Coordinates of all heavy atoms in Angstrom, one line a residue:
M252 N 6.9 166.7 79.3 CA 6.3 166.1 78.1 C 4.9 166.6 77.9 O 4.6 167.0 76.8 CB 6.4 164.6 78.1 CG 6.0 163.9 76.9 SD 7.3 164.3 75.6 CE 7.0 163.0 74.6
E253 N 4.2 166.7 79.0 CA 2.8 167.2 78.9 C 2.8 168.7 78.4 O 1.9 169.1 77.6 CB 2.1 167.0 80.2 CG 1.8 165.6 80.6 CD 0.8 165.0 79.6 OE1 -0.2 165.7 79.1 OE2 1.0 163.8 79.3
E254 N 3.8 169.4 78.9 CA 3.8 170.8 78.5 C 4.1 171.0 77.0 O 3.5 171.8 76.3 CB 4.9 171.5 79.3 CG 5.0 173.0 79.0 CD 6.1 173.6 79.8 OE1 6.4 173.2 81.0 OE2 6.7 174.6 79.3
A255 N 5.0 170.2 76.5 CA 5.3 170.2 75.1 C 4.1 169.8 74.2 O 3.8 170.4 73.2 CB 6.5 169.3 74.7
W256 N 3.4 168.8 74.7 CA 2.2 168.3 74.0 C 1.1 169.4 74.0 O 0.5 169.7 73.0 CB 1.6 167.0 74.7 CG 0.4 166.5 74.1 CD1 -0.8 166.5 74.6 CD2 0.3 165.8 72.8 NE1 -1.7 165.9 73.7 CE2 -1.0 165.5 72.6 CE3 1.3 165.5 71.8 CZ2 -1.5 164.8 71.4 CZ3 0.8 164.9 70.6 CH2 -0.5 164.5 70.5
A257 N 0.9 170.1 75.1 CA -0.1 171.1 75.2 C 0.3 172.3 74.3 O -0.5 172.9 73.6 CB -0.2 171.6 76.6
E258 N 1.6 172.6 74.3 CA 2.1 173.7 73.4 C 1.9 173.4 71.9 O 1.5 174.2 71.2 CB 3.6 173.9 73.7 CG 4.2 175.0 72.8 CD 3.7 176.4 73.2 OE1 3.3 176.6 74.3 OE2 3.7 177.3 72.3
M259 N 2.1 172.1 71.6 CA 1.9 171.7 70.2 C 0.4 171.8 69.8 O 0.1 172.3 68.7 CB 2.4 170.3 70.0 CG 2.3 169.9 68.5 SD 2.6 168.1 68.2 CE 1.2 167.4 68.8
K260 N -0.5 171.4 70.7 CA -1.9 171.5 70.4 C -2.3 173.0 70.3 O -3.1 173.3 69.4 CB -2.7 170.8 71.5 CG -2.5 169.3 71.4 CD -3.6 168.5 72.2 CE -3.4 168.8 73.7 NZ -4.3 167.9 74.5
R261 N -1.8 173.8 71.1 CA -2.1 175.3 71.0 C -1.7 175.8 69.7 O -2.4 176.6 69.1 CB -1.5 176.0 72.2 CG -2.3 176.0 73.5 CD -1.7 177.1 74.5 NE -0.3 176.9 74.8 CZ 0.2 176.1 75.7 NH1 -0.7 175.4 76.5 NH2 1.4 176.0 76.0
N262 N -0.5 175.5 69.3 CA 0.1 176.0 68.0 C -0.7 175.5 66.8 O -0.9 176.2 65.9 CB 1.5 175.6 67.9 CG 2.4 176.4 68.9 OD1 2.0 177.4 69.4 ND2 3.6 175.9 69.1
I263 N -1.1 174.2 66.9 CA -2.0 173.7 65.8 C -3.3 174.4 65.7 O -3.8 174.8 64.7 CB -2.1 172.2 65.9 CG1 -0.8 171.5 65.7 CG2 -3.2 171.6 65.0 CD1 -0.8 170.0 66.0
S264 N -3.9 174.6 66.9 CA -5.2 175.3 67.0 C -5.0 176.7 66.5 O -5.9 177.3 65.7 CB -5.7 175.3 68.4 OG -6.8 176.1 68.5
L265 N -3.9 177.4 66.8 CA -3.6 178.7 66.4 C -3.5 178.8 64.8 O -4.0 179.7 64.2 CB -2.4 179.3 67.0 CG -2.0 180.7 66.8 CD1 -3.1 181.7 67.3 CD2 -0.6 181.0 67.4
A266 N -2.8 177.8 64.3 CA -2.6 177.8 62.8 C -3.9 177.5 62.1 O -4.0 178.0 61.0 CB -1.5 176.7 62.5
N267 N -4.8 176.8 62.7 CA -6.0 176.4 62.0 C -7.2 177.3 62.3 O -8.3 177.1 61.7 CB -6.4 174.9 62.3 CG -5.4 174.0 61.7 OD1 -4.8 174.2 60.6 ND2 -5.1 172.9 62.4
R268 N -7.0 178.3 63.1 CA -8.1 179.1 63.5 C -8.6 180.0 62.4 O -7.8 180.5 61.6 CB -7.7 180.0 64.7 CG -8.8 180.9 65.2 CD -8.3 181.9 66.2 NE -7.8 181.2 67.4 CZ -7.3 181.8 68.4 NH1 -7.1 183.1 68.4 NH2 -6.8 181.1 69.4
V269 N -10.0 180.1 62.3 CA -10.6 181.0 61.4 C -11.2 182.1 62.2 O -12.1 181.9 63.0 CB -11.7 180.3 60.5 CG1 -12.4 181.3 59.6 CG2 -11.0 179.2 59.7
N270 N -10.8 183.4 62.0 CA -11.3 184.5 62.8 C -12.5 185.1 62.1 O -12.4 185.4 60.9 CB -10.1 185.5 63.0 CG -9.0 184.9 63.7 OD1 -9.1 184.3 64.7 ND2 -7.8 185.1 63.1
K271 N -13.5 185.4 62.9 CA -14.8 185.9 62.3 C -15.1 187.3 62.7 O -15.9 188.0 62.1 CB -15.9 185.0 62.6 CG -15.8 183.6 62.1 CD -16.9 182.7 62.5 CE -16.6 181.3 62.0 NZ -17.1 180.3 62.9
S272 N -14.4 187.8 63.7 CA -14.7 189.2 64.2 C -13.4 189.9 64.5 O -12.3 189.3 64.5 CB -15.5 189.1 65.5 OG -14.8 188.6 66.5
N273 N -13.5 191.2 64.7 CA -12.3 192.0 64.9 C -11.7 191.6 66.3 O -10.5 191.6 66.5 CB -12.6 193.5 64.9 CG -12.9 194.0 63.5 OD1 -12.5 193.4 62.6 ND2 -13.6 195.1 63.4
E274 N -12.5 191.2 67.2 CA -12.0 190.8 68.6 C -11.2 189.5 68.4 O -10.1 189.4 69.1 CB -13.1 190.6 69.6 CG -13.9 191.9 70.0 CD -14.9 192.3 68.9 OE1 -15.4 191.5 68.2 OE2 -15.2 193.5 68.9
E275 N -11.7 188.6 67.6 CA -11.0 187.3 67.4 C -9.7 187.6 66.7 O -8.6 187.0 67.0 CB -11.8 186.4 66.6 CG -13.0 185.8 67.4 CD -13.8 184.8 66.6 OE1 -13.6 184.7 65.3 OE2 -14.7 184.2 67.1
V276 N -9.7 188.5 65.7 CA -8.4 188.9 65.0 C -7.4 189.5 66.0 O -6.2 189.1 66.0 CB -8.7 189.8 63.8 CG1 -7.4 190.4 63.3 CG2 -9.5 189.2 62.8
A277 N -7.9 190.4 66.9 CA -7.0 191.0 67.8 C -6.4 189.9 68.8 O -5.2 189.9 69.1 CB -7.7 192.1 68.6
S278 N -7.3 189.0 69.2 CA -6.8 187.9 70.1 C -5.8 187.0 69.4 O -4.8 186.6 70.0 CB -8.0 187.1 70.6 OG -7.6 186.0 71.3
F279 N -6.1 186.8 68.1 CA -5.2 185.9 67.3 C -3.8 186.6 67.2 O -2.8 185.9 67.4 CB -5.8 185.7 65.9 CG -4.9 185.1 65.0 CD1 -4.7 183.7 65.0 CD2 -4.2 185.8 64.0 CE1 -3.8 183.1 64.1 CE2 -3.4 185.2 63.1 CZ -3.2 183.8 63.2
H280 N -3.8 187.9 67.0 CA -2.5 188.6 66.8 C -1.7 188.5 68.1 O -0.5 188.4 68.1 CB -2.7 190.0 66.4 CG -3.0 190.2 64.9 ND1 -2.1 190.1 64.0 CD2 -4.2 190.3 64.3 CE1 -2.6 190.2 62.8 NE2 -3.9 190.3 62.9
V281 N -2.4 188.7 69.3 CA -1.7 188.6 70.6 C -1.1 187.2 70.8 O 0.0 187.1 71.1 CB -2.7 189.0 71.7 CG1 -2.1 188.6 73.1 CG2 -3.1 190.4 71.6
E282 N -1.9 186.2 70.5 CA -1.4 184.8 70.7 C -0.3 184.5 69.7 O 0.6 183.8 70.0 CB -2.6 183.8 70.5 CG -3.6 183.8 71.7 CD -4.6 182.8 71.5 OE1 -4.3 181.6 71.2 OE2 -5.8 183.1 71.6
L283 N -0.5 185.0 68.5 CA 0.6 184.7 67.5 C 1.9 185.4 67.9 O 2.9 184.8 67.7 CB 0.1 185.3 66.1 CG 1.0 185.0 64.9 CD1 1.2 183.5 64.7 CD2 0.5 185.7 63.7
K284 N 1.8 186.6 68.4 CA 3.1 187.3 68.8 C 3.7 186.5 70.0 O 4.9 186.4 70.0 CB 2.8 188.7 69.2 CG 2.5 189.6 68.0 CD 2.3 191.0 68.4 CE 2.0 191.9 67.2 NZ 1.8 193.3 67.5
K285 N 2.9 186.0 70.9 CA 3.4 185.2 72.0 C 4.1 184.0 71.5 O 5.2 183.6 71.9 CB 2.3 184.8 73.0 CG 1.9 186.0 73.9 CD 0.8 185.5 74.8 CE 0.1 186.6 75.6 NZ -1.0 186.1 76.4
A286 N 3.4 183.3 70.6 CA 4.0 182.0 70.0 C 5.3 182.3 69.2 O 6.3 181.6 69.4 CB 3.0 181.3 69.1
L287 N 5.3 183.4 68.5 CA 6.5 183.7 67.7 C 7.6 184.1 68.7 O 8.8 183.6 68.5 CB 6.2 184.9 66.8 CG 7.3 185.5 66.0 CD1 7.8 184.4 65.0 CD2 6.9 186.7 65.3
H288 N 7.3 184.9 69.7 CA 8.4 185.2 70.7 C 8.9 184.0 71.3 O 10.2 183.8 71.5 CB 7.8 186.2 71.7 CG 8.8 186.6 72.7 ND1 10.0 187.1 72.5 CD2 8.7 186.5 74.1 CE1 10.7 187.3 73.6 NE2 9.9 187.0 74.6
L289 N 8.1 183.1 71.7 CA 8.5 181.8 72.4 C 9.4 181.0 71.4 O 10.4 180.5 71.8 CB 7.3 181.0 72.8 CG 7.6 179.8 73.6 CD1 8.3 180.1 74.9 CD2 6.3 179.0 73.9
A290 N 9.0 180.9 70.2 CA 9.7 180.1 69.2 C 11.1 180.7 69.0 O 12.1 180.0 68.9 CB 9.0 179.9 67.9
V291 N 11.2 182.0 68.8 CA 12.4 182.7 68.6 C 13.3 182.5 69.8 O 14.5 182.3 69.7 CB 12.2 184.2 68.2 CG1 13.5 184.9 68.2 CG2 11.5 184.2 66.8
T292 N 12.8 182.7 71.0 CA 13.6 182.5 72.2 C 14.1 181.1 72.3 O 15.3 181.0 72.6 CB 12.7 182.8 73.4 OG1 12.2 184.1 73.3 CG2 13.5 182.7 74.7
W293 N 13.4 180.1 72.0 CA 13.9 178.7 72.1 C 15.0 178.5 71.0 O 16.0 177.9 71.3 CB 12.7 177.7 71.8 CG 11.8 177.5 73.0 CD1 12.0 178.0 74.3 CD2 10.6 176.8 72.9 NE1 10.9 177.6 75.0 CE2 10.0 176.9 74.2 CE3 9.9 176.2 72.0 CZ2 8.8 176.3 74.6 CZ3 8.6 175.6 72.3 CH2 8.1 175.7 73.6
C294 N 14.8 179.1 69.8 CA 15.8 178.9 68.8 C 17.1 179.6 69.2 O 18.2 179.0 69.0 CB 15.3 179.5 67.5 SG 14.0 178.5 66.7
R295 N 17.0 180.8 69.8 CA 18.2 181.4 70.3 C 18.9 180.6 71.3 O 20.2 180.5 71.3 CB 17.9 182.8 70.8 CG 17.5 183.8 69.7 CD 17.2 185.2 70.2 NE 16.9 186.1 69.1 CZ 16.2 187.2 69.2 NH1 15.7 187.5 70.4 NH2 16.0 187.9 68.1
V296 N 18.2 180.1 72.3 CA 18.8 179.3 73.3 C 19.5 178.1 72.7 O 20.6 177.7 73.1 CB 17.7 178.9 74.4 CG1 18.3 177.8 75.3 CG2 17.3 180.1 75.2
E297 N 18.8 177.4 71.8 CA 19.4 176.2 71.2 C 20.6 176.5 70.3 O 21.5 175.8 70.3 CB 18.3 175.4 70.4 CG 17.3 174.7 71.3 CD 18.0 173.6 72.2 OE1 18.8 172.8 71.7 OE2 17.8 173.7 73.4
R298 N 20.5 177.6 69.6 CA 21.6 178.0 68.8 C 22.9 178.3 69.7 O 24.0 177.9 69.3 CB 21.3 179.3 68.0 CG 22.3 179.6 67.0 CD 22.0 180.9 66.1 NE 20.7 180.8 65.5 CZ 19.8 181.8 65.7 NH1 20.1 182.9 66.4 NH2 18.6 181.7 65.1
K299 N 22.6 179.0 70.8 CA 23.7 179.3 71.7 C 24.3 178.0 72.3 O 25.5 177.9 72.4 CB 23.3 180.2 72.8 CG 24.4 180.7 73.7 CD 23.9 181.6 74.8 CE 23.5 183.0 74.2 NZ 23.2 184.0 75.2
R300 N 23.4 177.1 72.6 CA 23.9 175.8 73.2 C 24.7 175.1 72.2 O 25.8 174.5 72.5 CB 22.7 175.0 73.7 CG 23.1 173.7 74.3 CD 21.9 172.8 74.6 NE 21.2 172.4 73.4 CZ 21.5 171.4 72.6 NH1 22.6 170.7 72.8 NH2 20.8 171.1 71.5
K301 N 24.2 175.0 71.0 CA 24.9 174.3 69.9 C 26.3 174.9 69.6 O 27.2 174.2 69.4 CB 24.0 174.3 68.6 CG 24.5 173.4 67.5 CD 24.5 172.0 68.0 CE 24.9 171.1 66.8 NZ 24.9 169.7 67.2
R302 N 26.3 176.2 69.6 CA 27.6 176.9 69.3 C 28.6 176.5 70.4 O 29.8 176.4 70.1 CB 27.5 178.4 69.2 CG 26.9 178.8 67.9 CD 26.8 180.3 67.9 NE 26.2 180.8 66.6 CZ 25.7 181.9 66.4 NH1 25.7 182.8 67.4 NH2 25.2 182.2 65.3
T303 N 28.2 176.5 71.7 CA 29.1 176.2 72.7 C 29.6 174.7 72.7 O 30.7 174.4 73.1 CB 28.5 176.5 74.1 OG1 27.4 175.7 74.3 CG2 28.3 178.0 74.3
E304 N 28.7 173.8 72.2 CA 29.0 172.4 72.2 C 29.9 172.0 70.9 O 30.6 171.0 70.9 CB 27.8 171.6 72.1 CG 27.0 171.6 73.5 CD 25.7 170.7 73.4 OE1 25.4 170.2 72.3 OE2 25.1 170.7 74.4
T305 N 29.8 172.8 69.9 CA 30.4 172.5 68.6 C 31.9 172.7 68.7 O 32.4 173.8 69.2 CB 29.9 173.3 67.5 OG1 28.5 173.1 67.4 CG2 30.5 172.9 66.2
L306 N 32.7 171.7 68.3 CA 34.1 171.9 68.3 C 34.6 172.7 67.1 O 34.0 172.7 66.1 CB 34.8 170.5 68.2 CG 34.5 169.6 69.4 CD1 35.1 168.2 69.1 CD2 35.1 170.1 70.7
K307 N 35.5 173.6 67.3 CA 36.1 174.4 66.3 C 36.9 173.5 65.3 O 37.7 172.7 65.8 CB 37.0 175.5 66.8 CG 36.3 176.4 67.8 CD 35.4 177.3 67.0 CE 34.7 178.3 68.0 NZ 33.5 178.9 67.5
P308 N 36.6 173.6 64.0 CA 37.4 172.7 63.1 C 38.9 173.1 63.0 O 39.2 174.3 63.1 CB 36.7 173.0 61.7 CG 36.0 174.3 61.9 CD 35.7 174.4 63.3
D309 N 39.7 172.1 62.9 CA 41.1 172.4 62.8 C 41.4 172.8 61.3 O 41.4 171.9 60.4 CB 41.9 171.2 63.2 CG 43.4 171.4 63.1 OD1 43.8 172.5 63.0 OD2 44.2 170.4 63.2
L310 N 41.7 174.0 61.1 CA 42.0 174.5 59.7 C 43.5 174.8 59.5 O 43.9 175.5 58.6 CB 41.2 175.7 59.4 CG 39.7 175.5 59.5 CD1 38.9 176.9 59.3 CD2 39.2 174.5 58.5
S311 N 44.3 174.2 60.3 CA 45.8 174.4 60.1 C 46.2 173.8 58.8 O 45.6 172.9 58.2 CB 46.5 173.8 61.3 OG 46.4 172.4 61.3
D312 N 47.4 174.2 58.4 CA 47.9 173.7 57.1 C 48.2 172.2 57.2 O 47.9 171.5 56.2 CB 49.3 174.4 56.8 CG 49.1 175.9 56.4 OD1 47.9 176.2 56.0 OD2 50.1 176.6 56.4
E313 N 48.6 171.7 58.3 CA 48.9 170.3 58.5 C 47.6 169.5 58.3 O 47.5 168.5 57.7 CB 49.5 170.0 59.8 CG 50.9 170.6 60.0 CD 50.8 172.1 60.4 OE1 49.8 172.5 61.0 OE2 51.8 172.8 60.2
S314 N 46.5 170.0 58.9 CA 45.2 169.3 58.9 C 44.7 169.3 57.5 O 44.2 168.3 57.0 CB 44.2 170.0 59.8 OG 43.0 169.4 59.7
V315 N 44.8 170.4 56.8 CA 44.3 170.5 55.4 C 45.1 169.6 54.5 O 44.5 168.9 53.7 CB 44.3 172.0 54.9 CG1 44.0 172.1 53.4 CG2 43.3 172.8 55.7
L316 N 46.4 169.6 54.7 CA 47.2 168.7 53.8 C 46.9 167.3 54.1 O 46.9 166.4 53.2 CB 48.7 169.0 54.1 CG 49.2 170.3 53.4 CD1 50.6 170.6 53.9 CD2 49.1 170.3 51.9
H317 N 46.7 166.9 55.4 CA 46.3 165.6 55.7 C 45.0 165.1 55.1 O 44.9 164.0 54.5 CB 46.2 165.4 57.2 CG 45.9 164.0 57.7 ND1 46.7 163.0 57.6 CD2 44.7 163.5 58.2 CE1 46.1 161.9 58.0 NE2 44.9 162.2 58.4
A318 N 44.0 166.0 55.0 CA 42.7 165.7 54.4 C 42.8 165.7 52.9 O 42.0 165.0 52.3 CB 41.7 166.7 54.9
A319 N 43.7 166.5 52.3 CA 43.8 166.6 50.9 C 44.2 165.3 50.2 O 43.8 165.0 49.0 CB 44.9 167.6 50.5
R320 N 44.8 164.3 50.9 CA 45.1 163.1 50.3 C 43.9 162.3 49.9 O 44.0 161.4 49.0 CB 46.0 162.2 51.3 CG 45.2 161.7 52.5 CD 46.2 161.0 53.5 NE 45.5 160.7 54.7 CZ 45.2 159.5 55.1 NH1 45.6 158.5 54.3 NH2 44.6 159.3 56.2
F321 N 42.7 162.6 50.5 CA 41.5 161.9 50.1 C 40.9 162.4 48.8 O 40.1 161.8 48.2 CB 40.5 162.0 51.2 CG 40.9 161.4 52.5 CD1 41.2 162.1 53.6 CD2 41.0 160.0 52.6 CE1 41.7 161.6 54.7 CE2 41.4 159.4 53.7 CZ 41.8 160.2 54.8
T322 N 41.4 163.6 48.3 CA 40.9 164.1 47.0 C 41.9 164.0 45.9 O 41.6 164.4 44.8 CB 40.6 165.6 47.2 OG1 41.8 166.3 47.6 CG2 39.5 165.8 48.3
D323 N 43.1 163.5 46.2 CA 44.1 163.4 45.1 C 43.7 162.6 43.9 O 44.1 162.9 42.8 CB 45.4 162.8 45.7 CG 46.1 163.8 46.6 OD1 45.8 165.0 46.5 OD2 47.0 163.3 47.4
N324 N 42.9 161.5 44.1 CA 42.5 160.6 43.0 C 41.1 160.9 42.5 O 40.6 160.0 41.7 CB 42.7 159.2 43.5 CG 44.1 158.8 43.8 OD1 45.0 159.3 43.1 ND2 44.3 158.1 44.9
L325 N 40.6 162.0 42.8 CA 39.2 162.3 42.2 C 39.3 162.6 40.7 O 40.3 163.3 40.3 CB 38.6 163.5 43.0 CG 38.2 163.3 44.4 CD1 37.6 164.6 45.0 CD2 37.2 162.2 44.5
P326 N 38.4 162.2 40.0 CA 38.4 162.4 38.5 C 37.9 163.8 38.1 O 36.8 163.9 37.6 CB 37.5 161.3 38.0 CG 36.5 161.1 39.1 CD 37.3 161.3 40.4
L327 N 38.7 164.8 38.4 CA 38.3 166.2 38.1 C 38.2 166.5 36.6 O 37.6 167.4 36.2 CB 39.2 167.1 38.8 CG 39.2 167.1 40.3 CD1 40.2 168.1 40.9 CD2 37.8 167.3 40.9
A328 N 38.9 165.7 35.8 CA 38.9 165.9 34.3 C 37.4 165.7 33.8 O 37.0 166.4 32.8 CB 39.8 164.9 33.6
D329 N 36.6 164.9 34.5 CA 35.2 164.7 34.1 C 34.4 166.0 34.2 O 33.4 166.2 33.5 CB 34.6 163.6 34.9 CG 35.2 162.3 34.7 OD1 35.9 162.1 33.7 OD2 35.0 161.4 35.6
Y330 N 34.9 166.9 35.0 CA 34.2 168.2 35.3 C 34.8 169.4 34.6 O 34.5 170.5 34.9 CB 34.1 168.4 36.8 CG 33.4 167.3 37.5 CD1 34.1 166.3 38.1 CD2 32.0 167.1 37.5 CE1 33.5 165.2 38.8 CE2 31.4 166.1 38.1 CZ 32.1 165.1 38.8 OH 31.5 164.1 39.4
A331 N 35.7 169.1 33.7 CA 36.5 170.2 33.1 C 35.6 171.3 32.4 O 35.9 172.4 32.5 CB 37.5 169.6 32.0
G332 N 34.5 170.9 31.9 CA 33.6 171.8 31.2 C 32.8 172.7 32.1 O 32.2 173.7 31.7
I333 N 32.7 172.3 33.4 CA 31.8 173.0 34.3 C 32.5 173.5 35.5 O 31.9 173.9 36.5 CB 30.6 172.1 34.7 CG1 31.1 170.9 35.4 CG2 29.7 171.9 33.5 CD1 29.9 170.1 36.0
L334 N 33.8 173.4 35.6 CA 34.5 173.9 36.8 C 34.4 175.4 37.1 O 34.5 175.8 38.2 CB 36.0 173.5 36.7 CG 36.4 172.1 37.0 CD1 37.9 171.8 36.8 CD2 35.9 171.6 38.4
H335 N 34.0 176.1 36.0 CA 33.7 177.6 36.2 C 32.5 177.8 37.1 O 32.3 178.9 37.7 CB 33.6 178.3 34.9 CG 32.4 177.8 34.1 ND1 32.3 176.7 33.4 CD2 31.2 178.4 34.0 CE1 31.2 176.5 32.9 NE2 30.4 177.6 33.2
L336 N 31.7 176.7 37.3 CA 30.5 176.8 38.2 C 30.8 176.6 39.6 O 30.0 176.9 40.5 CB 29.5 175.8 37.7 CG 28.9 176.0 36.3 CD1 28.0 174.8 35.9 CD2 28.3 177.3 36.1
A337 N 32.1 176.1 39.9 CA 32.4 175.9 41.3 C 32.5 177.2 42.0 O 33.0 178.2 41.5 CB 33.8 175.1 41.3
P338 N 32.1 177.2 43.3 CA 32.3 178.5 44.1 C 33.7 179.0 44.1 O 34.6 178.2 44.1 CB 31.8 178.0 45.5 CG 31.0 176.8 45.3 CD 31.6 176.1 44.1
R339 N 33.8 180.2 44.2 CA 35.2 180.8 44.2 C 35.9 180.4 45.5 O 37.1 180.3 45.4 CB 35.1 182.3 44.1 CG 34.6 182.8 42.8 CD 34.6 184.3 42.7 NE 34.1 184.6 41.4 CZ 34.4 185.8 40.8 NH1 35.1 186.7 41.5 NH2 33.9 186.0 39.6
L340 N 35.2 180.2 46.5 CA 35.9 179.8 47.8 C 36.6 178.5 47.6 O 37.8 178.3 48.0 CB 34.9 179.7 48.9 CG 35.4 179.2 50.3 CD1 36.5 180.2 50.8 CD2 34.3 179.0 51.3
V341 N 36.0 177.5 46.9 CA 36.7 176.3 46.6 C 38.0 176.5 45.8 O 39.0 175.9 46.1 CB 35.7 175.3 45.8 CG1 36.5 174.1 45.4 CG2 34.5 174.9 46.7
N342 N 37.9 177.4 44.9 CA 39.0 177.7 44.0 C 40.1 178.3 44.9 O 41.3 178.1 44.7 CB 38.7 178.6 42.9 CG 37.8 177.9 41.9 OD1 37.8 176.7 41.8 ND2 37.0 178.6 41.2
V343 N 39.8 179.2 45.8 CA 40.7 179.9 46.6 C 41.4 178.9 47.6 O 42.6 178.9 47.7 CB 40.1 181.0 47.5 CG1 41.0 181.5 48.5 CG2 39.6 182.1 46.5
V344 N 40.6 178.0 48.1 CA 41.2 177.0 49.0 C 42.1 176.1 48.2 O 43.2 175.7 48.7 CB 40.0 176.2 49.7 CG1 40.6 174.9 50.4 CG2 39.3 177.0 50.7
T345 N 41.7 175.7 47.1 CA 42.5 174.8 46.2 C 43.8 175.5 45.9 O 44.9 174.9 46.0 CB 41.8 174.5 44.9 OG1 40.6 173.8 45.3 CG2 42.6 173.5 44.1
A346 N 43.8 176.8 45.6 CA 45.0 177.6 45.2 C 45.9 177.7 46.5 O 47.1 177.6 46.4 CB 44.6 178.9 44.7
R347 N 45.3 177.8 47.6 CA 46.1 177.9 48.9 C 46.8 176.6 49.2 O 47.9 176.6 49.6 CB 45.1 178.4 50.0 CG 45.8 178.4 51.4 CD 46.9 179.5 51.4 NE 47.6 179.5 52.7 CZ 48.9 179.4 52.8 NH1 49.6 179.2 51.7 NH2 49.4 179.4 54.0
I348 N 46.1 175.5 48.9 CA 46.7 174.2 49.2 C 47.9 174.0 48.3 O 48.9 173.5 48.8 CB 45.6 173.1 49.0 CG1 44.6 173.2 50.2 CG2 46.3 171.7 49.1 CD1 43.4 172.3 50.0
W349 N 47.7 174.4 47.1 CA 48.8 174.1 46.1 C 49.9 175.1 46.2 O 51.0 175.0 45.6 CB 48.3 174.0 44.7 CG 47.4 172.8 44.5 CD1 46.1 172.7 44.5 CD2 47.8 171.4 44.5 NE1 45.6 171.5 44.4 CE2 46.7 170.6 44.4 CE3 49.1 170.8 44.5 CZ2 46.7 169.2 44.3 CZ3 49.1 169.4 44.5 CH2 48.0 168.7 44.3
A350 N 49.7 176.2 46.9 CA 50.7 177.3 46.9 C 51.8 176.9 47.8 O 51.8 176.2 48.7 CB 50.1 178.6 47.4

């Protein structure tokens, strides 16, 4: 926890720093690159962890048909004038369900 707190304080200091000389600018760029590399590395690790933990959705025909019963009574007529704005993917999925 202390390490995270210290890292946060360093990042805040880095974000609020006003550089007055070329040496400070060079130092700032080095620290900024380190902070950026660290953040990207953490994001990649977390993304990989999340992908391994996430269950793959069941997209079988049976599953889709089972879920479709929840949309049968939606008042789609209310949206008749703007259905052309719906993404094409929705239209393709709808066509596949009814095919």
Side-chain angles (χ1 to χ4, degrees):
M252 188 67 158
E253 289 296 321
E254 183 181 330
W256 181 250
E258 180 69 26
M259 185 187 75
K260 289 195 294 188
R261 276 192 303 273
N262 290 341
I263 290 171
S264 173
L265 185 64
N267 292 326
R268 182 185 298 175
V269 176
N270 300 310
K271 298 178 182 145
S272 68
N273 288 339
E274 292 82 22
E275 288 178 352
V276 170
S278 172
F279 172 77
H280 283 281
V281 169
E282 288 183 49
L283 183 62
K284 285 182 182 181
K285 285 180 187 177
L287 179 64
H288 178 53
L289 184 62
V291 169
T292 301
W293 285 349
C294 287
R295 286 180 178 157
V296 168
E297 285 301 311
R298 187 181 309 128
K299 186 180 284 188
R300 182 187 63 80
K301 188 66 175 174
R302 283 184 182 160
T303 59
E304 289 178 358
T305 303
L306 298 175
K307 300 289 182 197
D309 181 13
L310 299 177
S311 66
D312 289 342
E313 296 81 24
S314 175
V315 172
L316 287 173
H317 178 72
R320 66 186 174 110
F321 298 109
T322 62
D323 288 343
N324 296 321
L325 290 179
L327 296 179
D329 295 343
Y330 303 99
I333 59 171
L334 282 179
H335 66 282
L336 300 175
R339 290 181 180 205
L340 178 61
V341 172
N342 293 335
V343 169
V344 170
T345 303
R347 176 66 183 123
I348 290 172
W349 292 106

